[in-house]
Amino acid sequence: MNTEEERVLGYSEPHVCETKKFSVNAENLALAGEILRRGGLVAFPTETVYGLGADALNEEAVRSVYRAKGRPSDNPMIVHIASREDLEGLVREVGEDAEKAMEAFWPGPLTIIFPRSKQVPDTTTGGLDTVGIRMPGNETARRLIEAARCPVAAPSANLSGKPSPTTAADVLEDMDGRIDAVLLGEDCDVGIESTVVDMTGEIPMILRPGYVTKEMLEEVLGKEVRYDPALFRQPSGEDFHPRSPGMKYRHYAPEAEVCLYEGENLEAVRRAMAEAEKRASALGRRTAVLDYGTDSRAAAHDFFAKLRELDREGYDLILVSGLKRESFGLSVMNRMTKAAGYEIVRVDETDASEEE
């Protein structure tokens, strides 16, 4: 690569010197696509969270994503495409269930696990013989993929373990100087990552809950859909190999301590949190309370952004009121539980007593 190319594309080997900030227009999308095609890294908006994109078929580019994020290399990446035709060459087969799901939910916040073809490198799949693929609903994301002329591997555009970014400012907070460019697009609508469903077996299995719920999938498929049992326990041990992002490692956590309160009686939960806030404040801990009531959509849209905001403002402790673990509420609670490091205060519905 010559000096002029390095100046225009915003990176030089072996490391990034400057992160370009691109407004979204045709010229900048073409430049961003060129960066991806040449092995660089570009953060971009989707309807779920901002992604950190690399050419999914370029092993060195994908390794650069792991390095930029500080991400463990056995954590598989999701491959993003712009059209159904882009599946060709990436997967060995597309089953009937996958066809129905794509018809109903693509483009949109659903990642489908397929048997991968040999074209997709181990680096992208974390060594698995399957690959997760989605077609984002966000138009900017699809236009970027079209400009890149390659499938785009894209985990969330944050340092590994931190809350996922839902704004361009969130991305720059973690990635400025570590990647080649950021598309300064709109804030994300959904606010949590896509649903991941494995359709390589007889019974579809949700590996990561998201906007597309179990009930929505069952209605479209006309059959039972199950949750992976690993969703309901804290993963541990080197022998556990995640089949989807977000299954194994510490995720979504701010610098502040997060404590999640859960109980059937919302008012009892609120009383318990108020008492905890009073005790913490007496000890000199700057404490914030996040209470979304029963509104799981508002919680999803706001939660990651609020964690980052409270970190910037120097809070020590964040108390979070949980949601019912059903339908979309379960998806949001998956993120809240991980942000709290699986530390949950369960509140008795009658007397607001607490049990660790």
Side-chain angles (χ1 to χ4, degrees):
M1 184 180 299
N2 62 40
T3 303
E4 177 61 16
E5 287 175 323
E6 291 174 355
R7 184 190 68 77
V8 172
L9 298 181
Y11 65 92
S12 58
E13 299 297 336
H15 61 273
V16 176
C17 298
E18 178 188 2
T19 297
K20 297 291 186 183
K21 287 82 172 175
F22 288 148
S23 57
V24 178
N25 56 47
E27 180 182 0
N28 285 339
L29 283 165
L31 274 175
E34 179 75 0
I35 290 172
L36 289 172
R37 200 159 52 252
R38 290 181 177 273
L41 306 184
V42 178
F44 61 96
T46 79
E47 71 277 22
T48 56
V49 300
Y50 266 72
L52 178 55
D55 180 351
L57 306 184
N58 181 330
E59 291 192 70
E60 184 52 39
V62 173
R63 288 191 190 99
S64 296
V65 174
Y66 286 118
R67 288 194 292 269
K69 283 178 61 70
R71 179 184 175 97
S73 61
D74 67 342
N75 205 4
M77 294 193 190
I78 291 169
V79 176
H80 293 64
I81 60 175
S83 69
R84 285 280 299 274
E85 290 72 26
D86 293 344
L87 274 177
E88 186 176 348
L90 300 177
V91 304
R92 295 197 306 273
E93 60 179 315
V94 178
E96 182 181 350
D97 288 340
E99 288 283 2
K100 290 179 180 179
M102 287 187 292
E103 181 66 27
F105 300 113
W106 277 12
L110 179 70
T111 296
I112 300 173
I113 303 292
F114 297 92
R116 70 162 167 138
S117 74
K118 293 181 179 179
Q119 184 180 358
V120 183
D122 285 346
T123 311
T124 300
T125 66
L128 300 174
D129 62 358
T130 56
V131 59
I133 298 179
R134 96 172 178 101
M135 186 194 306
N138 181 281
E139 182 182 356
T140 298
R142 293 199 309 277
R143 289 173 66 194
L144 172 64
I145 298 164
E146 290 170 352
R149 302 199 297 273
C150 63
V152 175
S156 55
N158 56 283
L159 293 174
S160 188
K162 292 190 67 175
S164 299
T166 56
T167 70
D170 292 344
V171 175
L172 290 168
E173 185 174 68
D174 284 6
M175 291 292 156
D176 199 4
R178 301 173 72 94
I179 62 175
D180 304 295
V182 177
L183 279 172
L184 305 176
E186 61 274 35
D187 294 355
C188 302
D189 293 329
V190 175
I192 63 172
E193 301 83 358
S194 63
T195 303
V196 178
V197 60
D198 186 347
M199 291 188 169
T200 61
E202 183 63 28
I203 299 175
M205 190 77 67
I206 292 175
L207 307 183
R208 182 178 72 187
Y211 186 88
V212 177
T213 65
K214 176 177 181 288
E215 294 80 8
M216 293 164 67
L217 285 165
E218 287 178 334
E219 182 176 354
V220 165
L221 300 179
K223 65 191 295 186
E224 178 188 19
V225 175
R226 296 178 183 172
Y227 292 111
D228 190 296
L231 286 173
F232 304 102
R233 63 177 185 267
Q234 184 172 1
S236 61
E238 294 301 317
D239 293 335
F240 178 70
H241 300 288
R243 294 186 291 147
S244 165
M247 292 188 76
K248 181 176 181 180
Y249 297 98
R250 180 177 181 266
H251 268 69
Y252 319 127
E255 294 298 322
E257 178 187 354
V258 177
C259 190
L260 177 61
Y261 282 69
E262 188 173 10
E264 290 297 319
N265 186 315
L266 179 57
E267 290 308 314
V269 168
R270 285 170 169 165
R271 288 194 298 272
M273 292 171 66
E275 288 297 320
E277 181 183 18
K278 187 184 301 183
R279 292 193 301 270
S281 297
L283 294 172
R285 303 189 75 190
R286 193 174 183 203
T287 305
V289 173
L290 297 183
D291 181 357
Y292 300 102
T294 60
D295 193 341
S296 56
R297 301 291 174 184
H301 185 267
D302 180 73
F303 184 60
F304 288 150
K306 202 67 178 177
L307 293 182
R308 285 180 171 271
E309 177 186 327
L310 293 171
D311 257 357
R312 287 192 291 268
E313 293 177 359
Y315 281 85
D316 305 303
L317 175 64
I318 303 170
L319 308 178
V320 182
S321 173
L323 303 160
K324 288 189 178 296
R325 293 179 183 265
E326 57 189 27
S327 192
F328 189 57
L330 185 145
S331 303
V332 184
M333 282 295 285
N334 171 265
R335 275 58 169 193
M336 289 179 168
T337 300
K338 289 176 180 290
Y342 293 86
E343 294 297 325
I344 301 173
V345 175
R346 305 197 185 276
V347 180
D348 184 273
E349 62 180 312
T350 56
D351 61 9
S353 63
E354 300 174 17
E355 296 176 4
E356 291 293 333

